[in-house]
Amino acid sequence: MKWDILHRTTYHYAAPVRDSFNEVRLQPMATDHQRVDSFLLKVYPPSRLAHYQDFYHNIIHHFEIPEPHGSLVVESVARVSTLPGSQLPKDAAPFPLARIEEAVVWERCYDFLQPSRYVDLAPETWRMALDAIAAETDTWQAAQALMRFVYGHLKYESASTHVHTHMRDVLAQRRGVCQDFAHVLLGLCRAVKIPARYVSGYLATEAASATHAWIEVLLPGLGWRGLDPTHNCQPGETYVKLAVGRDYADVAPVSGHYVGTTERRLEVLVRLRPVEVE
């Protein structure tokens, strides 16, 4: 499928701010299952943009606005083609769980086996993961079992958490949003030595288009494979991948700091429109 994507983030400040330094992670990734046909990033007040590729191969744009300004607008426009055929059969058993520690020789995945800002590997997490896996002996089957557990254990509830909510708080209240579902599944996978990374992106549904979060697990010999615990499924053609990291802290769409008032209002507009292919 082909998508036109608009993502606009607007900050309105109660008083002018200055010395604003920002990083933006809004350029979709080019992968075997996704092609970036075009991408344009605009900032207001106008600023010179630079970019670099980070350790996880994300494209990060950065800019600074030293002069006083009362608002900040960051807008990305992209056309992305998503390709079919990326899903793995649910009954596949490609790699024994007992050998999963061998994954470290396949790809740089050490970071995706460790605790991170919003993910922990406490003994309680490990115990919960073992109970959810039950008798599964294959890595892919175990990862799917953990996804089913998260989907059944947590209730999706809008505005029940915020972007800085830790997975232990999500487990305590048993509700959250897509970001929280992803963080919990990351912790469960890593607790049993399955390399797992956070994915930020977009999801288009019949009702709406929105930013979304899911995870990917590393299967030796097959690479990274996606799992969406919010919907208990594998990502398909309606998913657009932006960035990957240890957790949300690594992939926030817009992050930075400035000098001035802390009173501000945030507006975010996301729109995915399917493009008719002639």
Side-chain angles (χ1 to χ4, degrees), residues 97 100 112-114 119-121 125-126 128-130 132-133 139-150 167 181-198 215-219 224-227 229:
L97 183 60
I100 192 56
F112 306 123
L113 287 166
Q114 308 303 314
V119 177
D120 73 31
L121 305 184
T125 304
W126 173 74
M128 186 179 293
L130 288 184
I133 288 173
T139 301
W140 178 238
Q141 295 303 315
Q144 290 184 99
L146 293 172
M147 176 178 68
R148 291 192 296 269
F149 170 78
V150 173
M167 65 165 283
F181 280 62
H183 284 156
V184 171
L185 185 52
L186 288 176
L188 295 174
C189 287
R190 293 175 189 174
V192 291
K193 307 301 182 184
I194 300 175
R197 65 187 186 186
Y198 187 98
I215 82 158
E216 290 177 339
V217 296
L218 179 61
L219 302 177
W224 294 97
R225 295 290 171 162
L227 293 171

Side-chain angles (χ1 to χ4, degrees), residues 5 7 24-31 34 54 56 58-60 112 178-179 182-183 186 197-203 210-216 226-228 235 238-254 272:
I5 305 168
H7 188 149
V24 179
R25 295 167 177 82
L26 286 174
Q27 181 167 335
M29 302 186 79
T31 72
Q34 176 176 293
D54 72 7
Y56 305 127
N58 304 309
I59 300 297
I60 301 177
F112 306 123
C178 59
Q179 171 184 300
H183 284 156
L186 288 176
R197 65 187 186 186
Y198 187 98
V199 184
S200 69
Y202 304 108
L203 172 60
T211 56
H212 194 50
W214 60 97
I215 82 158
E216 290 177 339
L227 293 171
D228 180 359
T238 57
Y239 290 69
V240 175
K241 183 175 176 180
L242 278 180
V244 300
R246 292 163 294 183
D247 58 26
Y248 176 80
D250 286 337
V251 299
V254 182
L272 271 71

Side-chain angles (χ1 to χ4, degrees), residues 11-144:
Y11 296 94
H12 299 279
Y13 305 106
V17 302
R18 59 181 174 82
D19 295 331
S20 178
F21 297 87
N22 300 274
E23 289 189 337
V24 179
R25 295 167 177 82
L26 286 174
Q27 181 167 335
M29 302 186 79
T31 72
D32 291 341
H33 310 296
Q34 176 176 293
R35 184 179 69 244
V36 182
D37 300 317
S38 63
F39 176 77
L40 176 65
L41 183 65
K42 296 182 285 186
V43 173
Y44 184 82
S47 177
R48 182 173 180 173
L49 292 164
H51 69 275
Y52 66 94
Q53 188 175 67
D54 72 7
F55 184 73
Y56 305 127
H57 305 296
N58 304 309
I59 300 297
I60 301 177
H61 291 81
H62 56 97
F63 63 92
E64 59 181 280
I65 305 175
E67 63 272 10
H69 52 285
S71 64
L72 171 64
V73 180
V74 179
E75 180 179 285
S76 66
V77 179
R79 174 167 287 188
V80 177
S81 299
T82 54
L83 310 176
S86 62
Q87 295 188 341
L88 191 65
K90 291 183 178 181
D91 60 353
F95 198 81
L97 183 60
R99 294 174 49 202
I100 192 56
E101 292 191 18
E102 299 175 20
V104 295
V105 305
W106 286 81
E107 190 166 334
R108 295 185 301 186
C109 63
Y110 178 82
D111 285 358
F112 306 123
L113 287 166
Q114 308 303 314
S116 51
R117 185 178 302 183
Y118 302 119
V119 177
D120 73 31
L121 305 184
E124 296 80 6
T125 304
W126 173 74
R127 183 71 261 175
M128 186 179 293
L130 288 184
D131 290 342
I133 288 173
E136 299 292 355
T137 59
D138 177 77
T139 301
W140 178 238
Q141 295 303 315
Q144 290 184 99

